[in-house]
Amino acid sequence: MKLTLDELVSLTGGKLIRSLSKTDNSENTDREISGLAALDDAGPEDVSFLGNKKYYQDFLKTSAAVVLIPAEVPEYPPNAA
């Protein structure tokens, strides 16, 4: 199943903190996400989540396109929404 970033935000009831960037620096909320993976295994078409502080370093290094996080997280990986 593929979902766009907008659809994923709507389904989870979440808030988009940072959009995926296109090469022209515009927002890319219509990009399709097609997989689910752990932070350290995720790729550019996957969604992952940060559910425990002990995985924070994996979160900062993840290649996931989207990461579901708690509101209090202070910094984010460079390429993830």
Side-chain angles (χ1 to χ4, degrees), residues 4-34:
T4 65
L5 182 53
D6 280 337
E7 291 169 330
L8 187 59
V9 169
S10 179
L11 283 171
T12 61
K15 176 181 174 186
L16 184 61
I17 295 172
R18 185 175 68 199
S19 179
L20 299 169
S21 294
K22 292 183 179 180
T23 55
D24 62 2
N25 291 327
S26 63
E27 290 189 354
N28 190 10
T29 59
D30 60 348
R31 180 168 161 192
E32 290 185 332
I33 309 303
S34 61

Side-chain angles (χ1 to χ4, degrees), residues 20-72:
L20 299 169
S21 294
K22 292 183 179 180
T23 55
D24 62 2
N25 291 327
S26 63
E27 290 189 354
N28 190 10
T29 59
D30 60 348
R31 180 168 161 192
E32 290 185 332
I33 309 303
S34 61
L36 173 67
L39 289 166
D40 59 349
D41 289 330
E45 294 183 356
D46 292 326
V47 63
S48 191
F49 68 95
L50 176 62
N52 189 311
K53 291 179 189 178
K54 72 179 183 179
Y55 298 109
Y56 189 71
Q57 291 305 312
D58 289 338
F59 165 66
L60 293 176
K61 295 185 271 182
T62 192
S63 295
V66 177
V67 182
L68 304 175
I69 60 171
E72 67 274 0

